[in-house]
Amino acid sequence: MLEYDFSLIWKVNMLTRLSLYTLLLCLVPFFAWIFNWQWQGDAALTQFDYFLYWLTETGSAPYALITCGLFALLFLPIAPSRKQWMLAVGVMAFSVILTQGVKSALKTAFAEPRPFIAEIAQNSDVSTDYFYDQPRSQRALIVADYYVDKAESPSWLVHHRENETGYSFPSGHTIFAVGWLLLTVGFVRLFGRNDLKTKLLVGTMTVWAILMLVSRLRLGMHYPIDLFISTLIAWLVHCGIFLFLSKKAIFRKDFA
């Protein structure tokens, strides 16, 4: 009975930790709504947005694969054993594939245009329906042609948009970032770590994830609702993952 109660308390603590970090990330769209923030085009860009561009690229294909590899290596020093680390990496791969698969399915189902694409449609004779009827190569040409005489739109941002001509809802970058943060929080808890090294890892991952969400708004790629729902999707998936893993003895810190 005591063992059952301890297991229940442990699971509640795990879900609480995952939920608190999820709530922290939800503050990004919450603040956008509270202050009635809306993307105003590229005239308001600052030098900080150039930094956000490089950060957002860590979640863009193909660079996201490198990010996954580097993040997986960061877990090696905190895993109790090499075998547990390898199994954790397998879980991480499953998490990324599952959440990105869900993202792709929902994008096709809702077919919502990105903010910058809606702006193109509003200021040109290219409708959003026509835009999305074209193959991606043609969409990139439409984007490039629109920004030819837009001095306020830097070349690095135009290039990014040429490669990001898919639908807006939900946000794959947000799911990617939130997923990795929750994987970090979950495995740190699962491995029973609470030292300075793991605190720095969680802190760094939290800042990276928050800035990833901010970048998607600032660069005209998503609406606040995209970020909010994407964060909740990642939360639901990872609550399920870690409730399942909590039943597996191999992930205990003292597993031999």
Side-chain angles (χ1 to χ4, degrees), residues 170-189:
S171 167
H173 284 72
T174 296
I175 292 177
F176 181 76
V178 178
W180 272 106
L181 174 58
L182 296 184
L183 284 169
T184 304
V185 173
F187 275 113
V188 165
R189 174 64 175 166

Side-chain angles (χ1 to χ4, degrees), residues 139-255:
R139 295 181 203 172
L141 291 176
I142 293 173
V143 172
D145 182 66
Y146 175 78
Y147 286 109
V148 164
D149 59 351
K150 302 295 187 298
E152 70 273 15
S153 301
S155 58
W156 52 264
L157 184 53
V158 175
H159 175 70
H160 181 64
R161 289 174 179 166
E162 288 175 11
N163 294 324
E164 296 281 347
T165 57
Y167 293 115
S168 183
F169 179 86
S171 167
H173 284 72
T174 296
I175 292 177
F176 181 76
V178 178
W180 272 106
L181 174 58
L182 296 184
L183 284 169
T184 304
V185 173
F187 275 113
V188 165
R189 174 64 175 166
L190 205 60
F191 291 150
R193 299 295 296 265
N194 192 35
D195 52 87
L196 179 60
K197 184 186 301 182
T198 53
K199 289 179 179 178
L200 288 174
L201 176 60
V202 172
T204 301
M205 201 70 76
T206 301
V207 173
W208 171 78
I210 290 174
L211 291 177
M212 180 68 79
L213 270 64
V214 172
S215 75
R216 304 315 285 166
L217 294 178
R218 290 285 304 174
L219 301 182
M221 307 305 294
H222 288 285
Y223 300 98
I225 188 63
D226 301 343
L227 274 57
F228 178 64
I229 298 300
S230 300
T231 301
L232 294 184
I233 291 171
W235 172 71
L236 286 171
V237 169
H238 290 86
C239 281
I241 287 175
F242 283 105
L243 282 177
F244 174 78
L245 295 181
S246 66
K247 302 175 183 178
K248 304 300 176 182
I250 192 171
F251 281 105
R252 290 203 311 265
K253 182 180 180 180
D254 58 349
F255 181 83

Side-chain angles (χ1 to χ4, degrees), residues 13-248:
N13 287 338
M14 170 68 82
L15 293 179
T16 300
R17 285 174 181 246
L18 295 175
S19 299
L20 287 175
Y21 279 91
T22 299
L23 178 60
L24 178 61
L25 295 183
C26 284
L27 291 179
V28 175
F30 285 169
F31 275 117
W33 286 322
I34 291 171
F35 293 103
N36 198 29
W37 181 91
Q38 294 182 351
W39 182 65
Q40 300 294 330
D42 298 335
L45 287 173
T46 67
Q47 190 62 33
F48 183 64
D49 293 300
Y50 186 50
F51 165 75
L52 290 179
Y53 159 71
W54 285 108
L55 185 137
T56 211
E57 286 287 78
T58 63
S60 304
Y63 310 112
L65 293 175
I66 300 173
T67 301
C68 289
L70 292 175
F71 283 176
L73 288 175
L74 292 177
F75 284 83
L76 184 56
I78 71 171
S81 70
R82 182 63 63 89
K83 183 176 183 179
Q84 288 169 312
W85 174 75
M86 292 176 64
L87 289 171
V89 170
V91 172
M92 295 169 197
F94 171 77
S95 162
V96 173
I97 293 171
L98 175 61
T99 53
Q100 291 303 307
V102 171
K103 174 267 300 183
S104 297
L106 290 176
K107 278 184 181 290
T108 302
F110 286 94
E112 291 290 335
R114 295 185 185 275
F116 83 88
I117 293 173
E119 181 189 62
I120 291 175
Q122 183 179 356
N123 298 326
S124 70
D125 57 357
V126 177
S127 68
T128 55
D129 288 339
Y130 174 82
F131 182 87
Y132 283 108
D133 281 341
Q134 306 307 306
R136 283 186 176 267
S137 58
Q138 184 61 31
R139 295 181 203 172
L141 291 176
I142 293 173
V143 172
D145 182 66
Y146 175 78
Y147 286 109
V148 164
D149 59 351
K150 302 295 187 298
E152 70 273 15
S153 301
S155 58
W156 52 264
L157 184 53
V158 175
H159 175 70
H160 181 64
R161 289 174 179 166
E162 288 175 11
N163 294 324
E164 296 281 347
T165 57
Y167 293 115
S168 183
F169 179 86
S171 167
H173 284 72
T174 296
I175 292 177
F176 181 76
V178 178
W180 272 106
L181 174 58
L182 296 184
L183 284 169
T184 304
V185 173
F187 275 113
V188 165
R189 174 64 175 166
L190 205 60
F191 291 150
R193 299 295 296 265
N194 192 35
D195 52 87
L196 179 60
K197 184 186 301 182
T198 53
K199 289 179 179 178
L200 288 174
L201 176 60
V202 172
T204 301
M205 201 70 76
T206 301
V207 173
W208 171 78
I210 290 174
L211 291 177
M212 180 68 79
L213 270 64
V214 172
S215 75
R216 304 315 285 166
L217 294 178
R218 290 285 304 174
L219 301 182
M221 307 305 294
H222 288 285
Y223 300 98
I225 188 63
D226 301 343
L227 274 57
F228 178 64
I229 298 300
S230 300
T231 301
L232 294 184
I233 291 171
W235 172 71
L236 286 171
V237 169
H238 290 86
C239 281
I241 287 175
F242 283 105
L243 282 177
F244 174 78
L245 295 181
S246 66
K247 302 175 183 178
K248 304 300 176 182

